[in-house]
Amino acid sequence: MISQIEKQSAQEIKHFQNQKLIIQLAYVQANSLFYQNHFKKAGIDIQSVKTIDDLTQLPVTTKTDLQENNEDFFCVDPVEIIDFSNTSGTTGAPVNFGLTEEDLNRLAFNEAQSFSCAGIQKHDIVQLMTTMDRQFMAGLAYFLGIRKIGAGIIRTGAGVPALQWNSILLNKPTYLIAVPSFLLKMIVYAEKNNIDINNCSVKAAICIGEPLRNQDFSPSELAKRINAKWDIKLYSTYASTEMSTAFTECEFHQGGHAHPELIITEVLDEENKPVKPGEVGELTITTLGVKALPLVRFKTGDIVKIDYTSCPCGRNTNRVGPVLGRAQQMVKFKGTTLYPPAIHDILNAFKEIESHLIILHTNDIGTDEVTVKIVSQLFSNELIQNLKEKFQAKLRVIPNIELIASDELNKLVLSNNSRKPKWVIDKRK
């Protein structure tokens, strides 16, 4: 189900997106109160923006803009909104997003293209192990995308290993959509209940919310732990509510493919200038074809690099590499710059650690401090020493390490009935 534009040349894709960009800019200029004021304040005439290269003339849009001017972004009459979603509020106040009929069709097309990258076809059965309630756009998108492909869907929802395995053994899904760390709990349950996981129907999992790749695309420690026990293919996908678009790996696992019909990507430095190809910066996007709440040069907060080379799968689209971290969560710790995913990767390598939480805070002298809270039934001085050695070797710094009970950790990561667990809590001033 590969879109034809994705296999055209880079020049043809750029020409295609240039035309889409002009249409989208005219649309927001005519219908978005925010962008009318945003462009006017910057002294911008959108008629001068003819190509993607001209985007640098436009001011960026930030999450703060969205939070403070949420209603002014909407481009349609409220009566046209048929689905009401919002962001999770992981890094600030939640933002309301409405979707029109056209937006829902676009969302379905997006996930159908993304899941096609990972090999899902009409004959497959997909077990959807994520919530569709609580205004969670991603769960709805997964459902719509699978439906558009024509594959079977099992909506088991999140959690409960026993329920997931009962469904797998009964309904025989070929793909799972799940948070990868939960797959480890699935493995533990299977081992305790004599389930032969490598002889079940599941051949692959599309993993959300946690990284499966290092910056060189080698498997993360989490991916290694899963595949050490469960011989299934793991596909990484990256998305956000604001983008209404997903970037999913193909079988070559060299980054998540962008879809030219849906999104324009830029990578910007701290001064909002484009970085050189292959350099790291903040992913900035312009949505295409969105009717209710389109975004122009929106800074996602995610630090990435983009690969512009052709992929062996035949697609010539840009590929977004593994997220290095969130710009807001960059830590200057004891003279070293680091992001929480690097800490997660080290902790995931230790089988003795059942779960963990990273807390960022400010110490008495006003500098960043990092505390790691771990749940472990095999806690020992040897474990602590091994952890410290691994942190020193890989990050050159050692965070504070504290033992915490499982129920206490769950209260922290699922505070305020959040629909998404918060594995990083930023308490810095």
Side-chain angles (χ1 to χ4, degrees):
M1 195 176 176
I2 301 175
S3 169
Q4 291 304 307
I5 188 65
E6 297 192 12
K7 288 198 170 185
Q8 293 184 16
S9 69
Q11 185 175 0
E12 288 171 318
I13 291 174
K14 186 174 182 179
H15 177 70
F16 172 84
Q17 288 201 312
N18 287 340
Q19 295 176 315
K20 289 282 188 178
L21 174 62
I22 292 172
I23 294 170
Q24 191 70 62
L25 288 177
Y27 180 76
V28 299
Q29 177 67 54
N31 297 286
S32 169
L33 180 58
F34 173 81
Y35 281 112
Q36 290 168 3
N37 295 331
H38 199 48
F39 296 154
K40 184 177 180 180
K41 185 177 179 180
I44 298 297
D45 178 5
I46 62 163
Q47 298 296 326
S48 64
V49 181
K50 302 294 185 183
T51 70
I52 294 172
D53 295 332
D54 297 332
L55 275 173
T56 54
Q57 299 177 28
L58 301 178
V60 297
T61 304
T62 66
K63 293 204 173 193
T64 301
D65 291 329
L66 259 178
Q67 290 163 340
E68 294 179 352
N69 306 277
N70 198 172
E71 290 187 9
D72 290 348
F73 276 86
F74 279 90
C75 292
V76 298
D77 189 287
V79 74
E80 294 187 48
I81 303 296
I82 59 173
D83 183 82
F84 295 81
S85 298
N86 66 17
T87 60
S88 61
T90 303
T91 57
V95 175
N96 287 323
F97 274 80
L99 292 93
T100 66
E101 181 68 34
E102 289 178 85
D103 291 334
L104 286 175
N105 290 335
R106 178 188 178 281
L107 203 61
F109 173 80
N110 158 69
E111 287 298 346
Q113 292 299 308
S114 292
F115 290 154
S116 293
C117 286
I120 294 180
Q121 300 178 48
K122 183 177 175 62
H123 64 260
D124 285 302
I125 299 174
V126 183
Q127 186 152 311
L128 182 54
M129 298 163 56
T130 182
T131 183
M132 287 180 62
D133 59 5
R134 299 188 183 183
Q135 295 182 270
F136 189 40
M137 186 187 290
L140 176 63
Y142 303 147
F143 175 82
L144 293 174
I146 298 165
R147 184 171 177 269
K148 188 170 183 64
I149 290 174
I153 311 170
I154 311 166
R155 294 177 288 106
T156 52
V160 195
L163 170 66
Q164 305 296 346
W165 275 115
N166 286 341
S167 175
I168 289 171
L169 297 176
L170 176 65
N171 299 306
K172 297 180 172 51
T174 47
Y175 278 80
L176 308 177
I177 298 177
V179 175
S181 58
F182 183 71
L183 296 179
L184 293 176
K185 295 181 180 180
M186 296 273 291
I187 292 170
V188 171
Y189 181 90
E191 290 176 337
K192 288 181 179 179
N193 291 274
N194 299 314
I195 297 172
D196 188 351
I197 60 177
N198 287 308
N199 278 315
C200 73
S201 60
V202 177
K203 64 181 183 181
I206 295 176
C207 296
I208 61 174
E210 295 170 345
L212 289 178
R213 310 281 168 230
N214 299 315
Q215 289 301 303
D216 62 356
F217 299 112
S218 61
S220 67
E221 292 296 338
L222 181 55
K224 289 178 183 177
R225 284 185 63 186
I226 295 168
N227 279 148
K229 295 288 185 72
W230 202 351
D231 186 22
I232 57 175
K233 295 179 180 178
L234 301 175
Y235 294 91
S236 182
T237 186
Y238 160 69
S240 72
T241 300
E242 295 92 343
M243 294 190 296
S244 296
T245 311
F247 302 81
T248 303
E249 293 180 326
C250 67
E251 67 269 28
F252 293 95
H253 306 290
Q254 295 293 304
H257 283 276
H259 305 301
E261 304 97 323
L262 306 178
I263 200 162
I264 294 170
T265 57
E266 301 176 82
V267 180
L268 305 182
D269 62 20
E270 293 180 354
E271 297 179 351
N272 295 327
K273 296 179 180 178
V275 302
K276 295 178 181 178
E279 289 185 349
V280 169
E282 185 171 353
L283 180 65
T284 302
I285 59 93
T286 297
T287 55
L288 300 173
V290 173
K291 295 299 180 182
L293 204 157
L295 294 171
V296 177
R297 299 202 85 203
F298 175 73
K299 299 182 72 177
T300 64
D302 293 322
I303 305 302
V304 305
K305 61 181 177 180
I306 289 182
D307 192 328
Y308 297 93
T309 62
S310 298
C311 182
C313 73
R315 295 176 177 86
N316 292 314
T317 52
N318 300 340
R319 300 191 305 283
V320 176
V323 175
L324 184 63
R326 298 193 65 82
Q328 287 181 318
Q329 292 177 346
M330 184 185 78
V331 182
K332 283 282 190 180
F333 183 47
K334 298 179 181 179
T336 297
T337 298
L338 64 139
Y339 293 92
I343 301 173
H344 286 308
D345 200 49
I346 290 172
L347 295 167
N348 285 330
F350 286 81
K351 298 178 181 179
E352 302 95 325
I353 298 176
E354 297 169 27
S355 56
H356 64 267
L357 169 67
I358 299 170
I359 298 179
L360 311 177
H361 50 106
T362 305
N363 58 28
D364 293 339
I365 60 173
T367 59
D368 289 349
E369 197 74 29
V370 182
T371 296
V372 173
K373 294 183 179 290
I374 64 171
V375 175
S376 176
Q377 299 298 320
L378 301 173
F379 184 79
S380 66
N381 290 332
E382 182 181 3
L383 172 61
I384 294 297
Q385 186 58 37
N386 289 339
L387 269 172
K388 288 181 176 179
E389 290 176 359
K390 185 67 75 171
F391 277 121
Q392 185 63 50
K394 289 208 167 187
L395 302 182
R396 302 191 303 279
V397 290
I398 302 172
N400 306 307
I401 303 171
E402 298 178 0
L403 183 67
I404 187 173
S406 179
D407 58 346
E408 291 181 32
L409 183 136
N410 288 336
K411 289 178 183 177
L412 292 172
V413 301
L414 295 172
S415 60
N416 300 319
N417 294 317
S418 172
R419 71 189 182 204
K420 291 170 64 177
K422 295 184 179 181
W423 301 109
V424 179
I425 297 177
D426 195 342
K427 295 183 176 181
R428 290 176 295 179
K429 299 176 182 177

